[in-house]
Amino acid sequence: MNPNQIELSFSSRAENLSAARMVIASVGSQADLMLNDIEDLKVGVSEAVTNAIVHGYQNDPDGVVALMIQSDEDKIQIIVRDQGCGIADIELAMQPSFSSDPERMGLGFVFMKSFMDELTVDSQLNEGTTVTLVKYLQHPPSSH
Amino acid sequence: MNISKQFDRQTLLLRISGELDMQTSETLRQTIDSEIERRGIRQVMLNLKDVSFIDSSGLGVILGRYKKLTALGGALVITNAQPHVLKIMELSGLAKIIRFYTDETLAFEEGRGAS
Ligand SMILES: Nc1ncnc2c1ncn2[C@@H]1O[C@H](COP(=O)(O)OP(=O)(O)O)[C@@H](O)[C@H]1O
Ligand SMILES: [Mg+2]
């Protein structure tokens, strides 16, 4: 069976954050995740989408953010993609407390890493950034 | 997100409900900043009992207000945070900086030196 897929694209506006979280919460609850794990997914999506809006598009509301979710019985994979400014130095950007904005905490990638099982960042300057997050689903031991 | 405001002598008590992300925490920032400037508020208590979600943008706004208030000789404390909100605050290191109380009464008592 192919994985179930949801693809959503939306304007780079902060008001769309709650819609993005709602979609991932719904996928998480369909997968029978515990409430804690659903909270983790929401944090991951919120951080990645926030970054696309504030950093990728520098708060320009006319950018497009794509959220792609694939789920099968083993995992939920989330891809957040923007076609914004890109990241010059990914390693530096991912360091705890690093932020290019002095008002921000520099903890978005830290949270994505801690609350998800995998985090991958691909970025090209002036082309955009793709963040992939994976959460593995734990199943009760099978009975056969 | 909703904020209800109450004044108890020198303390501004804000009871917040809903989700604290980049969009909604901006309202919180403006609310606290304008009370600091217009009313000279220096003591802020944030009751997070009905906050169901927070991310690093929300934490950033709270930390920013904490820093502003302490620089002015004031304080900001948090009460009633839900377990998963507390967990993210601990992970961020915020829980080591800002004082947390299980409820408003305890926070008020300690604030008045009655602990
Ligand atoms: N989608 C993106 N496009 C461009 N730059 C990004 C993107 N995501 C993250 N960054 C860069 O990585 C840094 C760290 O991100 P993060 O850990 O979320 O912290 P914060 O958002 O608080 O700055 C950002 O300050 C920014 O410079
Ligand atoms: Mg961020």
Side-chain angles (χ1 to χ4, degrees):
Chain A
M1 203 164 56
N2 288 329
N4 183 30
Q5 299 200 44
I6 294 180
E7 198 170 332
L8 187 73
S9 62
F10 49 89
S11 307
S12 48
R13 295 168 185 249
E15 67 228 53
N16 292 326
L17 277 164
S18 66
R21 286 195 300 268
M22 229 132 79
V23 171
I24 196 63
S26 158
V27 171
S29 69
Q30 301 276 350
D32 277 334
L33 285 182
M34 311 264 287
L35 276 179
N36 277 355
D37 293 324
I38 296 176
E39 290 306 322
D40 293 354
L41 292 173
K42 282 164 70 179
V43 173
V45 165
S46 204
E47 295 296 346
V49 173
T50 299
N51 281 354
I53 297 171
V54 292
H55 302 302
Y57 294 116
Q58 285 148 19
N59 290 308
D60 171 358
D62 297 327
V64 176
V65 181
L67 171 66
M68 286 160 278
I69 302 167
Q70 288 195 349
S71 58
D72 58 29
E73 59 244 37
D74 299 322
K75 62 177 189 285
I76 295 176
Q77 176 176 278
I78 301 162
I79 298 173
V80 175
R81 176 173 295 153
D82 67 68
Q83 291 163 294
C85 66
I87 304 175
D89 184 339
I90 297 177
E91 208 180 309
L92 176 67
M94 291 177 75
Q95 275 173 23
S97 298
F98 173 85
S99 179
S100 45
D101 177 346
E103 290 272 293
R104 300 186 57 82
M105 294 190 84
L107 292 178
F109 284 130
V110 174
F111 287 174
M112 288 183 245
K113 227 183 185 149
S114 340
F115 290 114
M116 301 293 298
D117 296 317
E118 280 175 19
L119 161 66
T120 320
V121 182
D122 283 307
S123 192
Q124 285 292 307
L125 264 188
N126 302 318
E127 282 179 27
T129 301
T130 301
V131 171
T132 306
L133 302 165
V134 177
K135 182 125 196 141
Y136 290 101
L137 309 175
Q138 284 126 26
H139 296 285
S142 66
S143 48
H144 49 85
Chain B
M1 190 217 32
N2 250 298
I3 304 177
S4 91
K5 263 195 268 185
Q6 189 178 313
F7 295 90
D8 188 306
R9 283 165 254 186
Q10 307 299 322
T11 302
L12 167 63
L13 168 62
L14 297 176
R15 297 196 181 97
I16 305 164
S17 61
E19 304 188 310
L20 276 179
D21 63 13
M22 167 177 65
Q23 186 197 23
T24 55
S25 58
E26 181 54 25
T27 313
L28 179 63
R29 189 181 69 74
Q30 287 169 7
T31 303
I32 298 177
D33 285 358
S34 84
E35 293 296 340
I36 291 173
E37 276 137 41
R38 290 211 326 260
R39 263 192 244 244
I41 282 290
R42 296 291 181 266
Q43 312 288 330
V44 174
M45 190 182 294
L46 297 181
N47 182 327
L48 303 185
K49 178 163 106 33
D50 296 317
V51 169
S52 55
F53 176 86
I54 193 163
D55 62 14
S56 71
S57 304
L59 294 178
V61 167
I62 292 178
L63 181 63
R65 294 328 95 201
Y66 170 86
K67 286 183 175 161
K68 189 167 180 171
L69 284 159
T70 48
L72 292 166
L76 178 150
V77 300
I78 293 176
T79 77
N80 302 79
Q82 292 185 26
H84 65 268
V85 169
L86 206 54
K87 172 174 138 193
I88 200 164
M89 289 181 157
E90 275 163 0
L91 187 68
S92 71
L94 205 75
K96 287 206 201 92
I97 302 170
I98 298 183
R99 303 209 65 160
F100 282 73
Y101 297 92
T102 43
D103 64 53
E104 290 175 5
T105 316
L106 280 175
F108 271 118
E109 276 170 8
E110 187 156 321
R112 293 193 183 115
S115 59

